Amino acid sequence: MDLTWSDSEQAFRQECRSWLEGNVPAGGLDSGDTAEGFARHLEWEHQLHEARWSVVSWPEAYGGRDASLWEWLIFEEEYYAAGAPQRITQNGIFLLAPTIFEFGTPAQQDHYLPRMSAARDLWCQGWSEPNAGSDLAGISSRAVRDDEAGGWRLSGQKTWTTRGAFCTHLFGLFRSDPGSERHRGLTYFLVPLDAEGMTVRGFGRLDGDEGFAEVFLDDVFVPDDDGTTATMERGGILGGVDEGWGVAMATTSSERGLTLRSPGRFRATAARLVDLARDRRGESADSVLDAVTEAWLDAEAYALYTLADVTDLSEGRSPGARSSYNKVFWSEMDLRLHRAALDLLGAEAELDGGWMKGYEFALSGPIYAGTNEIQRNIIAERVLGLPRK
Amino acid sequence: MDLTWSDSEQAFRQECRSWLEGNVPAGGLDSGDTAEGFARHLEWEHQLHEARWSVVSWPEAYGGRDASLWEWLIFEEEYYAAGAPQRITQNGIFLLAPTIFEFGTPAQQDHYLPRMSAARDLWCQGWSEPNAGSDLAGISSRAVRDDEAGGWRLSGQKTWTTRGAFCTHLFGLFRSDPGSERHRGLTYFLVPLDAEGMTVRGFGRLDGDEGFAEVFLDDVFVPDDDGTTATMERGGILGGVDEGWGVAMATTSSERGLTLRSPGRFRATAARLVDLARDRRGESADSVLDAVTEAWLDAEAYALYTLADVTDLSEGRSPGARSSYNKVFWSEMDLRLHRAALDLLGAEAELDGGWMKGYEFALSGPIYAGTNEIQRNIIAERVLGLPRK
Amino acid sequence: MRFAPTEEQTEFAAATGALLADTCPPSAVAAAWGGEVGRHTGLGDGDGRIRAAWDALVEMGVNGILVPEQQGGLAMSLDHLVGVLEECGYSALPDPVADSAGVVAHSLGQCSDTAPDVGAVNDTLAAVAAGSTVVSGFGSSPLVASATTADTLLMFTRDPTRVDPDAPADPAADRVVLLDRSEVDLEPVESVDGSRALARVRWDAASGACVAQGSAASALTDEAFLVAALADSALLVGLGRAMIDLTVSYVGERKQFGVPVGSFQAVKHHLADAALAVQFAEPLVRNAAHLMSGGVAVEAPGSIPTDSRSVAVSAAKARSSDAAKKVTETALQCHGAIGYTVEADLHLFMKRAWALARSHGDSAFHLKRVRRQLLAG
Amino acid sequence: MRFAPTEEQTEFAAATGALLADTCPPSAVAAAWGGEVGRHTGLGDGDGRIRAAWDALVEMGVNGILVPEQQGGLAMSLDHLVGVLEECGYSALPDPVADSAGVVAHSLGQCSDTAPDVGAVNDTLAAVAAGSTVVSGFGSSPLVASATTADTLLMFTRDPTRVDPDAPADPAADRVVLLDRSEVDLEPVESVDGSRALARVRWDAASGACVAQGSAASALTDEAFLVAALADSALLVGLGRAMIDLTVSYVGERKQFGVPVGSFQAVKHHLADAALAVQFAEPLVRNAAHLMSGGVAVEAPGSIPTDSRSVAVSAAKARSSDAAKKVTETALQCHGAIGYTVEADLHLFMKRAWALARSHGDSAFHLKRVRRQLLAG
């Protein structure tokens, strides 16, 4: 065990902290899930990119700093501790980029990644459909081969597309083999939201923000890849035709994807919670102060757990089974953190402030990216080895 | 609403209280699940019977007092509040007797019930088998027809038979139709434990008491009922041949069976818990005192819930769905009560005292009489109406 | 011994439920947020009222349940009212029935002979029965729902949730007054529940019609606070039931992996636990209502000597708040993503529950009150 | 930055685990209760020792992990020991390794130069490394496991769980001494875990060899208490893992309704939750061990200033105790009736967990310690 940071890591932290101190907008930004808020967030993303903080762990060629996993953790800690804005580019960077790194052609990487890091292309995910939520393999949106035009025609409906109303591009799975069922015969498509035949309808999230969208595709054409920029601008395929499931799954469990959610965000929330509790100590019941303490302990435990994961990854060992536990823990911890805050606020909790908004947001954690019920099945079956049937 | 007791109920309570004050053994009795303890408990049961307190709600002819459900509740409250001994006759009185009342012939009723109320026959249940625990319909012990001898021959193995090592009789289900499966083809038998071919092996419960037994049946003969005492002494059948499942189920959901567990026991435990908490207030953490308060609230809520159930029953309405909630609640409440007590005791909790024994006993609550997982399925499917498949 | 509503009470509540099913469907609740019905893209600009429901309830006599006959009321008890309030919760009615017909009617009824300004008290009681909207607030600048549309406000100088029980405030300083809406300073504030039409009320304790002062005001404040917490509890039980029903209905239809979501054991057990919480909260609410109606507590051996009314109400509020909060999270999780939108009705109920669970003392506050009494001796 | 045991530590722990799998199977633990192996019909009359396991551990050097080289030890750290203790927990070893090799060796090592009776301290350290059994107790008449077979007892006058943190005891009154077993008064008492061989120890603080007194004794008491709580935590993590493994194995085989019990979603989720609790307790234990070994805490922005060693140990003990208690109930529920008997091995692990979860401060005590530091500023 050695829980100290190296000199270069310390320097990285210092550089990061200084920049954030000088640049994070005072008072924060409004939600990135409203049209006005999104525009301001976009400016912020451009600012991050210019200072090369938008994708620290990426190669320099794509706008990154070739940062190590440890440095990425440091960046995240500093970012959240500074109260910096939520990342509207997150779905692209965390969910799509690892897939492009692994399955994209060199030309695709060169085309898409710099535009993503610069927040020129803004990606939303197109996994869910009205009848394919938890059951992702239930996808029925289809890709029909058009040999004559040399490409594919996409039709169907995607939904619960976070920030779909404001993004520029969509990535998602489409059924390319019409006779296929379940996981087979799906292809991973990239497609611009301004393509002909595409309709985006924003709708209200729980907190009232227009964060979600339904995306209707009516014969949207995606040309075959000829390696040219002009074609790639009209979309493309990641990995092979009919191999979309494997492509998508390979990176949903990526260490930089959703399973390794950086502890910085939760520790920052925990620190704010402790501040609130100190303010309200005198008027709060013991049970609430205990709940605050438990939630803070959660954040500590999660941070340490993550250090163990990153140690494994950095030393070339797969954390494997361990990572299955992460999503259940962080999503339920996030709820505990926010519940404790609302209980500190008492009658004032219903005011539509940061903690209530944060609670509403946290409520989505146990649902998205595989409900926690599915995650618990995975823990039981794949980690503990209980029988599937 | 009228939460007062009538004059006659008050008088009943007073009579009950006076008798208990004069008769409950000071300092209590040792566990009824050891050989020595059982003998002392048996004396106590005889004492109860002589004063007509063993089965207050039964007809006077069978040793009861024709008490109303309200009076039964009062008796239970007073009994537990007085710290009177656990009832070793409980399995017969709560599980078997309602079945005899409903399905027994008049001769069976006249034979078995007075002997049960007098604690001359001591009944243990023979539901579970090594491969039929939660899945009661998985019973494989069999009853083979012997026309020549005029009766049935029982073989197989029953297990987790509470106090089987000390009882005199067993009631349980046996597969009488060899070609039958699951719930069909079972018959409800009564059989003395001293019958030829019967072997009882006691084994240790979690708390170390020899409370459980395995009962091995090897060609145990049960003669056909000819209405004579001599025959009934050798056992018999309740309800029809091959109709055992319906017979057993009709009364496992009986209001006097396990679903309506009287609140007296839990309120008495809660009162002792509060006493302990007052003693240890100064040295206990807030979270433990909160847990005490929550557990006490559970007992209050359960007592009130039961009053609503008994009101329905007394006025001829079936509490129906409501009663499905009872078992899950009281069994988990019993755990909360005991956990809180152990936490008050801190390092002294591991001493093998009353609270630890009580905790160990409480741990069986969520398992027996249909695990709480099965109970929750029932709530979801039969009460809330969720789809079975 | 009889632990059940009377037949009359059961029928009255059922009639209220039927009336609200007609006049207060989820679309009407959504409309009370303001904006386009069923589409909420921000906080509401509605006034938190469903006039058709209110008028129908007034006509039925609900608002006068606790009002004495002399003032045109039904002179019934809180026992009677809680069944009605459960129905109001069940349909997420945003109108302030609990306040007007509950806290206000009960409080004014307590001092219709003794108030310094008996005239104002009795006029207001009569107005309540006739459909006037009177809401209540505790403390010098409380958050009050529906204040912006209220005719009158019943204000208490002391907020019992803000007082250290180890150092109780001076009873002589307490004062209770009736104020016209024009006499107070209203600052509308955004609640997570847009139909709450929440406002912060600032007021001058020296103004208005005096209902009680000194020790009488102190006793009245404690009493009114108990009624307020009890009324919230009844609403929360109704909200809990409604969310369970909504969810059961949804998961019975929604299919994933080729089967209804409701057939998964995890979903079944989540909902069974939610139902358990509501089931065992309700008797505490009914018991508290009975005691607050002057009923005698159940006598049982070994009962802990407590101020049974106060403990009973705190028990009801603690458990109904916890149950309702638990149900919101269960309902949302079982709905999945659709529950996380304002396209589904669920959010109307959840947000109300979040607000009420913490109004007039949250579960932690009330648990502490119970603990204090229970472990004091 | 590196949050993982060294390769050497991992290998040492694995070797310990392999050794214990041989020498400390459940049947041996059952035998340590006394009575017929595998049949417990009452509390044990065994002495709570598995000599073969103890001797093998001594030979391997486990008992001397914390003992300085001059006294024949390995002069390693608590970092090293916790991995070994997790293995001891995993096999439910009843022998007092945590006490002898942990609390005692660490405490005596802290004052091998400064103790009033340096000779006794160093002799005892050497004896520990060589396999002598030394156990510890806090307070004037503590419960001490394995006291009846111990050669020596390290006794602390102050029990930190019994002191009101608002009115700390007078440090000058503290005293720490070493006593031969013959110098104390042992009253065997029944523990729920028959292999604990528990006794109440009454002793005279003026007797024995003085290890520390006054402020040095006070500091040593606090330090020893942290090590004791940490050692319990490591054992609890091991016990938790063992019970999960036992249960997974059982429910994979046991069939009901024609399928393995482990295929029911409710059972899966129970076990997933149990595993989650243990997974996220373990890093807290490792972190606490690191800090107690002199390691520096992770630096992160916005960290709350706390006494990091004390908070880290309390965090570890609180979470490992809660996790282990949760696992006992889950394991029993998933086993069903067989778990409720002494025929299954499970009870040996559960009962140990119940005892250790509440020794040296239970989760409520340690949570309060964390809360006090966290919310003080």
Side-chain angles (χ1 to χ4, degrees):
Chain A
M1 304 274 277
D2 171 11
L3 308 190
T4 57
W5 300 106
S6 70
D7 288 348
S8 70
E9 285 160 351
Q10 299 264 29
F12 179 87
R13 183 188 292 280
Q14 202 45 58
E15 184 184 355
C16 179
R17 190 177 294 183
S18 304
W19 187 86
L20 288 165
E21 273 170 9
N23 289 276
V24 168
L29 300 182
D30 285 348
S31 165
D33 295 277
T34 64
E36 318 80 67
F38 195 85
R40 269 298 284 122
H41 276 77
L42 198 50
E43 285 176 43
W44 168 250
E45 291 288 344
H46 292 149
Q47 216 178 326
L48 275 177
H49 170 67
E50 276 153 36
R52 282 197 308 123
W53 294 112
S54 68
V55 285
V56 292
S57 61
W58 288 17
E60 295 195 11
Y62 299 144
R65 291 170 176 250
D66 271 319
S68 70
L69 267 175
W70 295 117
E71 288 167 334
W72 173 72
L73 273 189
I74 289 169
F75 169 76
E76 293 266 310
E77 278 179 355
E78 294 296 329
Y79 190 86
Y80 286 106
Q86 60 169 159
R87 301 289 307 273
I88 56 167
T89 50
Q90 177 172 291
N91 280 343
I93 293 171
F94 286 106
L95 296 178
L96 173 59
T99 316
I100 296 181
F101 275 114
E102 187 164 349
F103 293 95
T105 63
Q108 284 178 319
Q109 292 176 348
D110 291 345
H111 175 74
Y112 291 115
L113 293 171
R115 299 176 60 90
M116 193 189 303
S117 78
R120 290 175 63 193
D121 292 347
L122 295 162
W123 291 88
C124 62
Q125 52 97 344
W127 300 133
S128 300
E129 298 184 3
N131 290 308
S134 295
D135 181 14
L136 198 51
I139 280 172
S140 64
S141 289
R142 59 200 185 281
V144 177
R145 183 66 203 160
D146 184 339
D147 277 330
E148 202 166 320
W152 294 83
R153 297 193 172 275
L154 312 185
S155 296
Q157 182 185 353
K158 297 291 183 179
T159 191
W160 300 311
T161 301
T162 305
R163 299 189 202 97
F166 316 122
C167 284
T168 62
H169 288 69
L170 176 133
F171 59 94
L173 294 178
F174 291 80
R175 194 162 296 284
S176 43
D177 175 353
S180 67
E181 288 194 341
R182 308 292 303 157
H183 312 84
R184 296 187 188 78
L186 299 170
T187 298
Y188 193 124
F189 278 92
L190 308 176
V191 49
L193 284 171
D194 62 2
E196 203 181 315
M198 190 79 89
T199 311
V200 178
R201 181 185 82 93
F203 63 98
R205 230 169 42 180
L206 190 59
D207 57 11
D209 290 347
E210 282 272 358
F212 281 154
E214 286 179 300
V215 179
F216 301 88
L217 299 100
D218 179 15
D219 228 26
V220 173
F221 184 72
V222 174
D224 290 337
D225 188 4
D226 61 3
T228 65
T229 302
T231 300
M232 284 188 285
E233 280 176 351
R234 299 182 66 192
I237 288 174
L238 271 185
V241 170
D242 293 350
E243 290 171 10
W245 184 262
V247 173
M249 288 302 117
T251 47
T252 52
S253 63
S254 150
E255 69 269 24
R256 308 219 183 175
L258 279 167
T259 54
L260 183 61
R261 177 63 56 105
S262 86
R265 184 177 120 205
F266 307 108
R267 290 193 71 162
T269 305
R272 285 201 306 280
L273 174 65
V274 167
D275 283 343
L276 184 67
R278 287 176 174 176
D279 284 350
R280 303 208 161 223
R281 204 167 13 143
E283 58 211 280
S284 294
D286 300 314
S287 55
V288 176
L289 300 178
D290 283 336
V292 168
T293 310
E294 293 278 17
W296 179 82
L297 278 180
D298 280 343
E300 290 289 303
Y302 185 72
L304 296 169
Y305 195 80
T306 306
L307 293 181
D309 275 354
V310 174
T311 300
D312 281 345
L313 287 165
S314 300
E315 297 180 359
R317 292 184 300 277
S318 161
R322 297 169 51 86
S323 65
S324 306
Y325 292 97
N326 287 7
K327 195 248 164 173
V328 174
F329 192 83
W330 70 246
S331 59
E332 296 178 3
M333 161 175 71
D334 204 22
L335 276 173
R336 286 188 290 270
L337 287 161
H338 285 91
R339 277 192 213 116
L342 294 180
D343 287 342
L344 285 169
L345 292 172
E348 310 266 314
E350 73 167 295
L351 293 178
D352 206 36
W355 285 111
M356 181 53 90
K357 288 233 177 228
Y359 174 65
E360 289 181 295
F361 182 74
L363 283 167
S364 69
I367 294 171
Y368 75 87
T371 64
N372 284 9
E373 286 72 30
I374 289 175
Q375 300 294 337
R376 285 186 164 86
N377 289 350
I378 291 173
I379 291 171
E381 292 167 9
R382 300 195 205 157
V383 183
L384 300 179
L386 291 174
R388 279 172 171 264
K389 285 287 164 197
Chain B
M1 305 275 275
D2 172 11
L3 308 190
T4 56
W5 299 105
S6 70
D7 288 348
S8 70
E9 286 159 350
Q10 300 263 32
F12 180 87
R13 182 188 293 279
Q14 204 44 59
E15 183 184 354
C16 179
R17 189 177 294 182
S18 305
W19 187 85
L20 288 164
E21 274 170 9
N23 289 276
V24 168
L29 300 181
D30 285 347
S31 165
D33 294 275
T34 63
E36 319 78 65
F38 195 85
R40 267 299 283 123
H41 276 77
L42 198 51
E43 284 178 43
W44 167 249
E45 290 288 343
H46 292 151
Q47 216 178 328
L48 275 176
H49 170 67
E50 275 153 36
R52 281 195 309 123
W53 293 113
S54 68
V55 286
V56 294
S57 61
W58 289 17
E60 296 195 10
Y62 298 144
R65 290 169 175 252
D66 271 320
S68 70
L69 266 175
W70 295 118
E71 287 167 334
W72 173 73
L73 273 190
I74 289 170
F75 169 76
E76 293 267 310
E77 279 178 355
E78 293 296 330
Y79 189 87
Y80 286 106
Q86 58 168 163
R87 300 291 304 274
I88 55 166
T89 50
Q90 178 171 290
N91 280 343
I93 294 171
F94 286 106
L95 296 177
L96 172 59
T99 315
I100 295 181
F101 275 114
E102 189 166 346
F103 293 96
T105 63
Q108 284 178 319
Q109 293 176 348
D110 291 346
H111 175 74
Y112 291 115
L113 293 171
R115 298 176 61 89
M116 192 189 302
S117 78
R120 290 176 62 193
D121 293 347
L122 295 162
W123 290 88
C124 61
Q125 52 96 345
W127 300 134
S128 301
E129 298 184 0
N131 290 307
S134 295
D135 181 15
L136 197 52
I139 279 170
S140 64
S141 289
R142 60 201 185 283
V144 177
R145 183 67 204 160
D146 183 340
D147 277 330
E148 202 167 322
W152 294 84
R153 296 192 174 277
L154 311 186
S155 296
Q157 181 184 354
K158 297 291 183 178
T159 191
W160 299 311
T161 300
T162 305
R163 298 189 202 96
F166 316 121
C167 284
T168 62
H169 288 69
L170 175 132
F171 58 93
L173 294 179
F174 291 81
R175 194 161 295 283
S176 43
D177 175 352
S180 67
E181 288 193 341
R182 309 292 303 156
H183 312 83
R184 294 184 189 81
L186 300 169
T187 298
Y188 194 124
F189 278 92
L190 308 176
V191 49
L193 283 171
D194 61 1
E196 203 181 317
M198 190 80 89
T199 312
V200 178
R201 179 184 84 93
F203 64 99
R205 229 168 45 179
L206 190 59
D207 57 11
D209 290 347
E210 283 271 359
F212 281 154
E214 286 179 300
V215 179
F216 300 88
L217 300 99
D218 179 15
D219 227 28
V220 173
F221 186 71
V222 175
D224 290 338
D225 187 7
D226 61 3
T228 66
T229 302
T231 300
M232 283 188 286
E233 281 176 351
R234 300 183 64 193
I237 288 173
L238 271 186
V241 170
D242 293 349
E243 288 170 11
W245 183 263
V247 173
M249 289 303 118
T251 47
T252 53
S253 64
S254 152
E255 69 269 23
R256 308 218 186 176
L258 279 168
T259 54
L260 183 61
R261 177 63 56 105
S262 87
R265 184 177 119 206
F266 307 109
R267 291 193 71 162
T269 305
R272 284 200 308 279
L273 175 64
V274 168
D275 283 343
L276 183 67
R278 287 176 174 176
D279 283 350
R280 302 207 162 223
R281 202 166 15 143
E283 58 211 279
S284 295
D286 300 315
S287 54
V288 176
L289 299 178
D290 282 336
V292 168
T293 311
E294 293 279 16
W296 180 81
L297 277 179
D298 280 343
E300 289 290 301
Y302 186 72
L304 296 169
Y305 195 81
T306 306
L307 293 181
D309 275 354
V310 174
T311 300
D312 281 346
L313 288 164
S314 301
E315 296 180 359
R317 293 182 300 275
S318 162
R322 297 169 51 86
S323 64
S324 306
Y325 292 97
N326 286 9
K327 195 247 166 172
V328 174
F329 192 84
W330 68 247
S331 58
E332 296 178 3
M333 161 175 72
D334 204 21
L335 276 173
R336 288 189 289 269
L337 287 161
H338 285 89
R339 279 191 211 115
L342 294 181
D343 288 342
L344 284 168
L345 292 173
E348 310 266 314
E350 72 167 296
L351 295 178
D352 207 36
W355 285 111
M356 181 53 91
K357 288 233 175 228
Y359 174 65
E360 290 181 295
F361 182 74
L363 283 167
S364 69
I367 295 171
Y368 75 88
T371 65
N372 284 10
E373 286 71 31
I374 289 176
Q375 300 294 337
R376 285 185 162 86
N377 289 350
I378 291 173
I379 291 171
E381 292 168 8
R382 300 195 203 157
V383 183
L384 300 179
L386 290 174
R388 279 172 171 262
K389 284 289 165 197
Chain C
M1 181 62 60
R2 186 170 193 285
F3 192 96
T6 63
E7 206 171 314
E8 185 196 8
Q9 288 166 352
T10 302
E11 282 170 11
F12 200 116
T16 310
L19 182 156
L20 291 171
D22 283 345
T23 55
C24 180
S27 59
V29 179
W33 281 53
E36 191 185 335
V37 174
R39 287 290 310 281
H40 312 284
T41 59
L43 288 171
D45 52 8
D47 67 0
R49 299 297 292 273
I50 301 176
R51 305 283 164 177
W54 182 263
D55 293 345
L57 291 172
V58 170
E59 190 178 333
M60 201 174 147
V62 163
N63 294 44
I65 283 178
L66 299 183
V67 173
E69 286 179 2
Q70 302 92 294
Q71 281 83 31
L74 299 175
M76 291 169 164
S77 69
L78 276 166
D79 249 356
H80 205 104
L81 187 67
V82 288
V84 169
L85 290 178
E86 282 188 22
E87 296 295 335
C88 293
Y90 190 84
S91 59
L93 177 74
D95 301 64
V97 175
D99 227 358
S100 233
V103 181
V104 171
H106 182 86
S107 303
L108 297 182
Q110 300 268 305
C111 52
S112 61
D113 299 330
T114 58
D117 192 339
V118 167
V121 165
N122 287 312
D123 288 352
T124 307
L125 275 170
V128 162
S132 174
T133 308
V134 190
V135 296
S136 66
F138 296 85
S140 58
S141 58
L143 295 173
V144 178
S146 302
T148 50
T149 61
D151 300 311
T152 312
L153 294 94
L154 177 64
M155 302 303 292
F156 300 82
T157 51
R158 174 163 54 89
D159 174 359
T161 66
R162 292 300 182 94
V163 175
D164 179 356
D166 287 327
D170 172 19
D174 284 346
R175 193 174 157 86
V176 184
V177 299
L178 279 166
L179 295 151
D180 281 347
R181 175 151 49 98
S182 61
E183 295 178 285
V184 303
D185 173 30
L186 289 180
E187 177 202 351
V189 289
E190 291 185 340
S191 166
V192 65
D193 174 4
S195 72
R196 292 264 288 169
L198 199 66
R200 195 174 292 286
V201 179
R202 294 190 180 79
W203 59 290
D204 177 1
S207 64
C210 186
V211 172
Q213 52 194 340
S215 60
S218 185
L220 190 62
T221 303
D222 291 337
E223 176 83 11
F225 181 75
L226 291 180
V227 175
L230 171 62
D232 289 340
S233 304
L235 292 169
L236 286 163
V237 165
L239 283 161
R241 283 197 203 295
M243 289 186 278
I244 289 170
D245 287 355
L246 273 174
T247 308
V248 165
S249 163
Y250 181 74
V251 300
E253 284 170 20
R254 168 82 174 165
K255 287 191 176 182
Q256 293 281 277
F257 304 100
V259 294
V261 168
S263 67
F264 288 105
Q265 199 179 25
V267 171
K268 287 179 180 170
H269 287 200
H270 283 329
L271 282 165
D273 283 334
L276 269 161
V278 175
Q279 281 288 320
F280 284 88
E282 203 216 10
L284 291 169
V285 176
R286 296 290 181 151
N287 181 58
H290 178 64
L291 267 55
M292 292 297 295
S293 304
V296 174
V298 186
E299 187 203 329
S303 290
I304 315 292
T306 54
D307 170 354
S308 57
R309 282 162 34 106
S310 163
V311 166
V313 170
S314 282
K317 183 63 167 65
R319 285 295 166 96
S320 60
S321 298
D322 278 345
K325 283 191 287 182
K326 180 190 184 71
V327 176
T328 63
E329 295 192 1
T330 298
L332 178 53
Q333 185 69 18
C334 293
H335 268 76
I338 188 72
Y340 191 64
T341 72
V342 296
E343 307 268 299
D345 295 332
L346 177 62
H347 83 110
L348 301 168
F349 296 81
M350 286 198 296
K351 291 168 178 172
R352 184 73 52 76
W354 294 335
L356 293 180
R358 297 185 181 92
S359 79
H360 304 110
D362 61 7
S363 53
F365 171 85
H366 286 286
L367 183 70
K368 191 170 180 176
R369 271 167 71 110
V370 175
R371 174 178 135 188
R372 188 171 289 276
Q373 290 230 18
L374 194 62
L375 303 186
Chain D
M1 182 63 59
R2 185 171 194 285
F3 193 95
T6 63
E7 207 170 312
E8 185 196 8
Q9 287 165 353
T10 302
E11 281 169 12
F12 200 116
T16 312
L19 182 155
L20 290 171
D22 283 344
T23 54
C24 181
S27 59
V29 180
W33 282 53
E36 191 186 335
V37 175
R39 288 292 308 283
H40 311 284
T41 59
L43 289 172
D45 51 9
D47 69 359
R49 299 295 295 275
I50 302 176
R51 304 282 165 177
W54 181 264
D55 294 343
L57 291 172
V58 171
E59 191 178 332
M60 200 174 147
V62 163
N63 293 43
I65 283 178
L66 298 184
V67 173
E69 286 178 2
Q70 302 92 297
Q71 281 83 31
L74 300 176
M76 290 170 164
S77 69
L78 276 166
D79 250 356
H80 205 105
L81 187 67
V82 288
V84 169
L85 290 179
E86 282 188 22
E87 295 296 335
C88 294
Y90 190 85
S91 59
L93 177 74
D95 302 63
V97 176
D99 226 358
S100 233
V103 182
V104 172
H106 182 85
S107 302
L108 297 183
Q110 299 269 304
C111 51
S112 61
D113 298 330
T114 57
D117 192 339
V118 167
V121 165
N122 287 312
D123 289 352
T124 308
L125 275 169
V128 163
S132 173
T133 308
V134 190
V135 297
S136 66
F138 296 84
S140 58
S141 59
L143 295 173
V144 177
S146 303
T148 49
T149 60
D151 300 312
T152 312
L153 294 94
L154 176 66
M155 303 302 293
F156 301 82
T157 51
R158 174 164 55 89
D159 175 359
T161 66
R162 289 303 182 93
V163 174
D164 179 357
D166 287 327
D170 172 18
D174 284 346
R175 194 174 156 84
V176 185
V177 299
L178 279 167
L179 295 151
D180 281 346
R181 175 151 48 96
S182 62
E183 294 178 285
V184 302
D185 173 29
L186 289 180
E187 177 202 352
V189 289
E190 291 184 342
S191 165
V192 65
D193 174 3
S195 71
R196 293 265 286 168
L198 199 66
R200 194 173 292 285
V201 178
R202 294 190 180 79
W203 58 290
D204 177 1
S207 62
C210 186
V211 172
Q213 53 193 339
S215 60
S218 186
L220 191 62
T221 303
D222 290 337
E223 176 82 10
F225 181 74
L226 292 180
V227 175
L230 171 63
D232 289 341
S233 304
L235 292 170
L236 286 162
V237 165
L239 284 161
R241 284 197 202 295
M243 288 185 279
I244 290 170
D245 287 354
L246 273 176
T247 309
V248 165
S249 162
Y250 180 75
V251 300
E253 284 170 21
R254 167 83 174 163
K255 287 192 177 183
Q256 293 280 278
F257 303 101
V259 294
V261 167
S263 67
F264 288 104
Q265 199 180 24
V267 172
K268 287 179 181 171
H269 287 202
H270 283 329
L271 282 165
D273 283 334
L276 270 161
V278 175
Q279 281 288 318
F280 284 87
E282 202 214 10
L284 292 169
V285 176
R286 296 292 181 152
N287 181 58
H290 178 65
L291 268 56
M292 292 297 294
S293 305
V296 173
V298 186
E299 188 202 330
S303 291
I304 315 293
T306 53
D307 170 353
S308 57
R309 282 162 34 106
S310 163
V311 166
V313 170
S314 282
K317 183 61 165 66
R319 285 295 165 96
S320 60
S321 298
D322 278 344
K325 282 191 288 182
K326 180 190 184 73
V327 176
T328 63
E329 294 191 1
T330 298
L332 178 53
Q333 185 68 19
C334 293
H335 268 76
I338 189 72
Y340 191 63
T341 71
V342 295
E343 307 266 301
D345 294 332
L346 177 63
H347 83 110
L348 301 168
F349 297 81
M350 287 198 296
K351 291 169 178 172
R352 184 74 52 75
W354 294 335
L356 293 180
R358 297 185 180 90
S359 79
H360 303 111
D362 61 8
S363 54
F365 171 84
H366 286 286
L367 182 71
K368 191 171 180 175
R369 270 166 72 110
V370 175
R371 175 177 135 188
R372 186 170 291 275
Q373 290 229 18
L374 193 63
L375 304 185

